Amino acid sequence: MSVAPTNLKRTVLFETHASAKAKLVDFGGWEMPVNYGSQIEEHLATRSSCGLFDVSHMAAVDVIGSDAKAFLQKVVANDVNKLKNNGQALYGCLLNEAGHVIDDLIVYRLDPNYRIVINAGTAASDLIWLNQQAAAFKNLELIPRRADLPNQKNPQGMIAVQGPKALEIIARAIPELSNACKELGVFHAACINTALGEIMIARTGYTGEDGAELLIPAGNTSAAWDLLVSAGAKPAGLGARDTLRLEAGMNLYGQDMNDQVNPLDAGLGWTIDRTTDRNFIGRKAMESEGQRSVFLGLILQDKGVLRAHQVVKTAHGDGEITSGTFSPSLEKSIALARMPMGTKIGDQVKVVIRDKELNAVVVKAPFVRHGKALV
């Protein structure tokens, strides 16, 4: 099915989504499926079986050369030395000189090089900034794997397959990946030759469920999607992806953090290397600024829906919701919020919704993990 072009960017799976009659929306300049008919059904299918997400708008960038590790140790706030084995993955942040978050990313060690995966909306600006930092390193090359980015080579599509049956379905759909589905540890990846070309299977995700993300040669991504659907995966849109990630207590760049926010205030202190004397970009400013907020979860006890930017009134002052939604798994309204220091789990607070102060309780995220309620 062909659709009239727009000014929005499209992934290699656009025609697949259009043929399936997905509801397509502008998502940060990309024409993406928000759902295929029912966001709730897609959310619950991922929690109980397997959801399939097009995440090809995100960008993989290969970091190649003998200076690759030294470069990453300069620009990533987590310690890449933690990647002891080939295929191991690490979550971390890029910080600017002010110590605020430029982006969050995953770094994969793929001997002798590395691969990073960065967010869709920040990919172009990230690449400009990364290339500026790379100028100080002689033996280093950055190769984007997304077709619209400058100097890209061998573009790839990206599919997230998530849910308790995800690995079983991947193995059935693409038999060459079956051993990896059995043997690959959590937060580990492998590159495997298949009939669809070399696929990187990474046992990572954004939903709080088991599963994997597949990086596939762009020309074969649609064929891989069709095989996964035939094997039992349910196509799911970005609407379900957002409610799943919020239930899993995972930050979303642009909402829960941005280049004005210290990672310590965004609940990401655990990703910051403070055990070595490594001088990564932004460290001095971040440590000088220090932590000024606590980042915790909320559950609304009255009727209503929590949304970003609503004010949270606590005994220690006002805070702000950064992400909020109705949780299909819990059938309650939940949120992530930055609140004043001193706010603690179990505190009763008020959230201002349409000029009314409604009752909420402070909880520790995640809200749901592996299909089970944690709050």
Side-chain angles (χ1 to χ4, degrees):
M1 176 180 179
S2 295
V3 177
T6 71
N7 292 327
L8 299 175
K9 295 179 182 178
R10 292 170 169 176
T11 74
V12 293
L13 289 168
F14 174 79
E15 294 285 345
T16 301
H17 304 318
S19 295
K21 301 188 185 307
K23 182 179 180 182
L24 298 161
V25 299
D26 178 352
F27 183 82
W30 290 79
E31 193 168 10
M32 297 294 292
V34 67
N35 65 61
Y36 293 80
S38 170
Q39 178 178 330
I40 298 291
E41 288 181 8
E42 292 158 22
H43 177 112
L44 296 176
T46 305
R47 286 271 177 254
S48 63
S49 179
C50 179
L52 196 61
F53 303 84
D54 178 13
V55 290
S56 303
H57 55 320
M58 299 181 72
V61 180
D62 290 344
V63 185
I64 294 173
S66 57
D67 284 341
K69 183 177 179 181
F71 168 73
L72 291 170
Q73 288 289 63
K74 186 69 176 178
V75 300
V76 178
N78 208 338
D79 184 3
V80 175
N81 267 329
K82 293 177 182 175
L83 299 177
K84 302 294 184 187
N85 304 309
N86 184 36
Q88 200 172 350
L90 180 77
Y91 175 75
C93 295
L94 305 175
L95 306 183
N96 57 23
E97 292 287 359
H100 300 154
V101 183
I102 295 174
D103 202 0
D104 63 334
L105 77 168
I106 295 179
V107 182
Y108 297 95
R109 177 174 167 178
L110 300 177
D111 284 344
N113 302 307
Y114 293 84
R115 174 172 288 171
I116 61 175
V117 175
I118 53 182
N119 281 302
T122 51
S125 58
D126 282 358
L127 270 175
I128 293 171
W129 183 84
L130 288 167
N131 278 306
Q132 289 171 345
Q133 312 313 317
F137 297 84
K138 291 183 178 178
N139 299 307
L140 180 67
E141 188 176 9
L142 303 180
I143 300 178
R145 306 297 294 273
R146 201 177 77 187
D148 64 299
L149 292 172
N151 303 317
Q152 63 81 25
K153 291 181 182 175
N154 303 321
Q156 296 185 321
M158 200 181 311
I159 299 173
V161 194
Q162 295 285 301
K165 296 183 180 178
L167 296 175
E168 168 191 328
I169 285 173
I170 293 170
R172 194 158 61 235
I174 308 173
E176 298 96 325
L177 301 182
S178 58
N179 285 340
C181 290
K182 294 175 185 173
E183 299 169 359
L184 205 58
V186 175
F187 246 65
H188 282 74
C191 294
I192 296 171
N193 289 321
T194 76
L196 299 172
E198 184 183 86
I199 293 178
M200 187 178 99
I201 175 171
R203 200 170 166 195
T204 53
Y206 198 51
T207 62
E209 295 297 332
D210 201 356
E213 294 179 326
L214 307 179
L215 277 75
I216 306 158
N220 289 329
T221 307
S222 180
W225 179 277
D226 291 342
L227 288 170
L228 290 160
V229 171
S230 296
K234 183 178 180 62
L238 296 179
R241 184 169 160 83
D242 192 52
T243 51
L244 289 158
R245 74 92 192 165
L246 187 44
E247 287 185 351
M250 296 183 182
N251 289 31
L252 176 64
Y253 192 83
Q255 284 194 205
D256 304 299
M257 54 187 163
N258 57 46
D259 61 6
Q260 303 297 310
V261 175
N262 183 320
L264 305 178
D265 294 336
L268 295 174
W270 63 277
T271 72
I272 305 300
D273 172 25
R274 288 182 283 183
T275 61
T276 72
D277 59 0
R278 188 168 55 89
N279 184 29
F280 56 84
I281 293 174
R283 178 172 188 165
K284 186 175 180 181
M286 179 198 68
E287 291 180 338
S288 177
E289 188 170 85
Q291 184 175 355
R292 301 169 297 178
S293 304
V294 291
F295 191 76
L296 292 167
L298 294 174
I299 293 179
L300 188 65
Q301 296 168 307
D302 293 326
K303 189 175 181 180
V305 179
L306 299 176
R307 299 293 186 196
H309 307 304
Q310 290 169 344
V311 173
V312 184
K313 292 188 170 296
T314 82
H316 308 279
D318 289 354
E320 181 183 13
I321 289 176
T322 53
S323 290
T325 192
F326 179 79
S327 161
S329 300
L330 301 176
E331 297 185 337
K332 297 176 181 176
S333 191
I334 62 173
L336 298 173
R338 273 195 294 277
M339 292 177 282
M341 297 293 284
T343 309
K344 296 181 177 63
I345 294 166
D347 283 358
Q348 289 288 326
V349 298
K350 302 281 188 181
V351 180
V352 181
I353 303 178
R354 295 180 180 174
D355 298 325
K356 294 182 179 178
E357 294 187 0
L358 304 184
N359 294 301
V361 62
V362 179
V363 300
K364 181 182 179 182
F367 302 89
V368 179
R369 182 64 58 88
H370 298 307
K372 296 181 179 178
L374 302 180
V375 292

